[in-house]
Amino acid sequence: MENQKTWTVSQERQLLLNLAADAQPDYATPIVAAIVNGRIRDLQDYGVKGDTVSFIEENTVTGWNIYQRSVLFLLITAISELYPGVEVTAKFTANKGLFCEVAGKEWILDGGRTKRIAKAMKRIAREDRVIRKQSLTRQSAVKLFQQEHQDAKASLIASLSQEQVSIYSCGGCKDYLYGAMVPRTGLLEEFALDYGGPGLLIRTPDMTTGGKVHPLVRQPKLSHMLAESKEWAHILHCSYVSDLNRLNREGKIDEVIRVSEALQEKHIARIADYVAEHRDRIRLVLIAGPSSSGKTSFAQRLRVQMRTNGLVPVSISLDDYFKNRKDTPKTPEGKYDYENLRALDTELFNQNMLDLMQGKEAQLPTYNFVTGEREWDAAKKTVLGAGQPIIVEGIHGLNEELSSSIPRDKKLKIYISALAQLNIDAHNRVPTTDARLLRRLVRDKQFRDSSAEKTLLQWADVRAGEERNIFPYQEDADIMFNSALIYEIGVLKRYARPILEEVPAESPAYTEAQRLLDFFQYFDDITAEEDIPNNSLLREFIGHSVFFKENW
């Protein structure tokens, strides 16, 4: 989606790497992959006469994703050469890097070994080795990884529908990797490797760093939540997509759904218990998280659990604190910037919250989205009883500037996001942003009649807003909650596939739509929707939620 200039293959069969060499002068940073007829392809692939080709350069969102995936393969290669038999498992993105567990029989990772691995990776990068791509029959690939004792990878490949699969190799290391790879290791000189307990953190550049390695940003709370999520996968005996597919085929998906939902409900109940135990102190519960995290359903479920503790919470919408439209700040493009904290009347919000917490009557506003004006309704004059908590959900909830007049010990800040627990296999992660994007695609179509094309084209702006307004404040949360459900992509797939297939080939969103459609190949359809409870966070997106009567 980042590149617009195109070339047409003029030969009967042409190596994309050669075509990229001719095109490189038109790009500011190295070309790392190609887009052929709207699909992302490795430069190691061939185009045929008449193919339309554009290129992905390094300094793009997609380019840096390819770069990080390739550096992971560099790590796997270095460890396989230094310590045969030691396994690498890509776990999750945190601390502005990719955390990987590294373990072997009677082998323990330490700081010294980390330095040795990093030195080997740098050496392999300097050697500028070719990263080869080879096509094998599915049966041959399964046999290869069975011999390598990579059973999850063998099971994954065995479940694929295509007869041919692509295997990457660097030196003597062979792997199956989901997504394009750079053609040679000499492109991978910018990275850092940090020792972190049982694993390693790979840091690479991204769109914000100007080609330099991203600085280390400690995110202990997020890391803990992600580790907890992986533990939930172990509880469900479902660490890999192949496990999920097997349980689905064996007719056991109903149990997976029930236990997944119970784990979330137990966590929500614990949060409500904590509020109840500290009812004399905690008066304001602030909930924030990125798009399609299920914030509204979570807030409703938390409210219900609070009621079981004898609390009677009041829910207040931050949307009602928008300033009049004429006073709303604008983006550089001249559009109203409703995601800007300055779009909210924070002074009024703080005064209302303080009055309510002190037992005073407060006149709460209502924002009319049609007129763009604030309205006042006498029916919204509100008084709270002693110890009655307030629940507020909105993107700025974690930003201390929103509620700066309220003492910090009177507030409980909750960060919620959908962070996938599943891996495709040990070396291939399910991107956490993909799960949220699929939720948004399905919800926008189901309840806002918005096309997949429109949602995909808006996604970059949505992500940019999250980077500005949510992620910088996530470590200030008192509690983090993962709203992802281990089974959800198998359900969302059935809704998302037909709308993604509607994205026209000439659309700038077509490549992303095809990427997501290709991603679905790993997941079996999960049809047991009758087992999904009507208070599930997933119901906010697929419908029949008890909290959203309009989506029945």
Side-chain angles (χ1 to χ4, degrees):
M1 292 170 68
E2 289 95 341
N3 295 289
Q4 300 300 320
K5 188 172 181 179
T6 61
W7 286 259
T8 300
V9 177
S10 58
Q11 300 176 17
E12 291 299 324
R13 191 167 183 263
Q14 187 170 9
L15 184 65
L16 296 174
L17 190 60
N18 293 338
L19 192 57
D22 293 337
Q24 184 62 68
D26 293 317
Y27 292 83
T29 56
I31 292 172
V32 294
I35 298 175
V36 181
N37 301 329
R39 291 177 179 268
I40 297 174
R41 298 268 295 276
D42 294 270
L43 296 177
Q44 301 92 317
D45 288 339
Y46 287 84
V48 298
K49 190 172 183 178
D51 281 346
T52 299
V53 181
S54 61
F55 292 101
I56 300 170
E57 64 178 312
E58 188 177 71
N59 195 32
T60 58
V61 172
T62 304
W64 287 125
N65 287 339
I66 292 168
Y67 188 96
Q68 185 188 70
R69 186 184 307 118
S70 302
V71 172
L72 171 62
F73 186 41
L74 187 65
L75 170 69
I76 293 165
T77 300
I79 289 177
S80 72
E81 294 180 358
L82 288 173
Y83 307 109
V86 170
E87 293 293 328
V88 177
T89 304
K91 284 291 189 178
F92 47 75
T93 300
N95 303 326
K96 295 301 180 181
L98 175 63
F99 180 75
C100 303
E101 282 188 357
V102 184
K105 188 177 181 181
E106 299 180 356
W107 188 94
I108 298 174
L109 180 70
D110 57 25
R113 283 175 168 165
T114 300
K115 290 179 181 177
R116 188 178 177 193
I117 293 166
K119 186 176 179 180
M121 292 172 68
K122 292 289 186 182
R123 173 179 53 79
I124 295 169
R126 287 195 304 272
E127 290 172 358
D128 198 18
R129 295 185 192 176
V130 172
I131 297 177
R132 290 186 171 84
K133 185 177 181 182
Q134 178 186 10
S135 180
L136 295 180
T137 65
R138 187 176 66 231
Q139 185 177 4
S140 297
V142 169
K143 185 176 180 180
L144 170 67
F145 291 114
Q146 285 175 338
Q147 291 171 345
E148 297 285 332
H149 304 292
Q150 296 189 47
D151 295 333
K153 197 178 294 289
S155 296
L156 172 74
I157 294 172
S159 70
L160 299 177
S161 59
Q162 65 260 37
E163 288 303 318
Q164 298 289 126
V165 295
S166 296
I167 305 299
Y168 295 92
S169 63
C170 182
C173 181
K174 292 182 172 62
D175 208 346
Y176 173 80
L177 295 159
Y178 165 64
M181 301 279 289
V182 302
R184 63 182 202 276
T185 62
L187 294 168
L188 303 174
E189 294 187 350
E190 292 293 331
F191 66 87
L193 203 64
D194 305 297
Y195 172 63
L200 300 166
L201 184 75
I202 304 171
R203 287 183 287 123
T204 56
D206 63 23
M207 286 295 290
T208 67
T209 63
K212 302 298 182 182
V213 174
H214 206 295
L216 179 64
V217 178
R218 296 292 182 187
Q219 296 174 306
K221 293 176 184 177
L222 180 64
S223 298
H224 176 76
M225 178 175 68
L226 289 162
E228 179 186 63
S229 298
K230 293 298 181 183
E231 181 58 33
W232 285 13
H234 288 306
I235 290 171
L236 290 159
H237 306 293
C238 195
S239 297
Y240 300 120
V241 172
S242 57
D243 298 326
L244 181 67
N245 291 339
R246 174 180 50 79
L247 291 166
N248 189 31
R249 292 168 187 174
E250 292 175 354
K252 298 177 181 177
I253 200 67
D254 55 344
E255 181 75 359
V256 172
I257 291 171
R258 284 192 285 270
V259 176
S260 298
E261 297 288 347
L263 285 165
Q264 283 197 350
E265 192 64 33
K266 188 174 184 179
H267 195 176
I268 295 170
R270 285 175 175 168
I271 297 172
D273 291 346
Y274 180 84
V275 175
E277 289 166 8
H278 300 85
R279 67 182 71 198
D280 294 336
R281 175 176 65 82
I282 297 173
R283 299 300 308 281
L284 183 61
V285 178
L286 295 156
I287 301 167
S291 173
S292 303
S293 293
K295 297 182 290 293
T296 306
S297 293
F298 170 82
Q300 291 292 336
R301 285 174 66 172
L302 180 61
R303 182 185 62 80
V304 171
Q305 286 291 346
M306 285 184 182
R307 292 296 305 272
T308 70
N309 283 284
L311 299 174
V312 185
V314 171
S315 296
I316 292 176
S317 173
L318 270 183
D319 286 355
D320 285 327
Y321 286 89
F322 277 126
K323 295 176 181 176
N324 291 333
R325 190 169 292 154
K326 63 182 178 63
D327 300 320
T328 301
K330 293 185 178 181
T331 67
E333 296 76 28
K335 298 178 181 178
Y336 289 111
D337 188 3
Y338 288 106
E339 292 189 348
N340 193 316
L341 181 63
R342 301 290 176 266
L344 297 173
D345 189 339
T346 55
E347 182 178 351
L348 177 63
F349 174 77
N350 278 268
Q351 189 59 56
N352 280 171
M353 297 305 104
L354 285 171
D355 287 345
L356 291 172
M357 291 163 62
Q358 293 167 7
K360 299 177 183 178
E361 182 180 78
Q363 171 67 67
L364 306 183
T366 299
Y367 186 77
N368 187 321
F369 282 90
V370 176
T371 65
E373 298 289 324
R374 179 183 295 162
E375 297 176 350
W376 302 96
D377 184 348
K380 289 194 73 172
K381 288 185 177 179
T382 306
V383 179
L384 298 187
Q388 194 172 4
I390 306 165
I391 298 176
V392 175
E393 176 252 307
I395 65 171
H396 297 291
L398 303 182
N399 187 342
E400 188 63 19
E401 193 175 346
L402 170 72
S403 55
S404 57
S405 298
I406 294 121
R408 183 64 179 86
D409 66 338
K410 299 291 184 184
K411 297 180 282 197
L412 181 72
K413 296 183 180 182
I414 302 174
Y415 174 72
I416 173 173
S417 189
L419 302 166
Q421 303 105 317
L422 273 182
N423 271 27
I424 295 173
D425 63 22
H427 299 160
N428 294 278
R429 298 168 47 251
V430 173
T432 56
T433 52
D434 279 358
R436 290 196 294 112
L437 175 54
L438 290 173
R439 285 180 172 187
R440 187 176 175 113
L441 281 164
V442 172
R443 183 200 63 194
D444 285 1
K445 181 62 176 178
Q446 294 262 95
F447 310 118
R448 301 177 183 179
D449 197 28
S450 181
S451 69
E453 180 182 23
K454 181 179 179 181
T455 300
L456 290 174
L457 293 176
Q458 290 175 336
W459 188 241
D461 290 338
V462 172
R463 297 278 290 118
E466 294 167 353
E467 291 288 348
R468 289 192 304 271
N469 300 313
I470 299 172
F471 297 145
Y473 307 102
Q474 62 189 14
E475 283 295 316
D476 194 40
D478 302 297
I479 293 171
M480 290 191 171
F481 179 84
N482 186 3
S483 70
L485 292 154
I486 207 160
Y487 66 87
E488 69 177 83
I489 292 178
V491 176
L492 291 168
K493 170 186 174 182
R494 297 173 56 240
Y495 292 86
R497 184 197 290 158
I499 62 174
L500 286 167
E501 289 173 342
E502 293 174 355
V503 177
E506 64 273 14
S507 169
Y510 182 76
T511 298
E512 181 69 354
Q514 293 304 308
R515 183 188 71 81
L516 291 169
L517 287 167
D518 289 342
F519 173 62
F520 286 150
Q521 70 180 304
Y522 300 107
F523 292 85
D524 287 354
D525 286 359
I526 292 176
T527 58
E529 289 191 27
E530 68 278 2
D531 292 307
I532 304 173
N534 62 8
N535 70 340
S536 171
L537 274 73
L538 189 56
R539 288 285 179 194
E540 183 174 331
F541 306 95
I542 65 172
H544 290 196
S545 170
V546 71
F547 302 123
F548 298 85
K549 293 299 185 182
E550 67 276 10
N551 71 16
W552 277 71

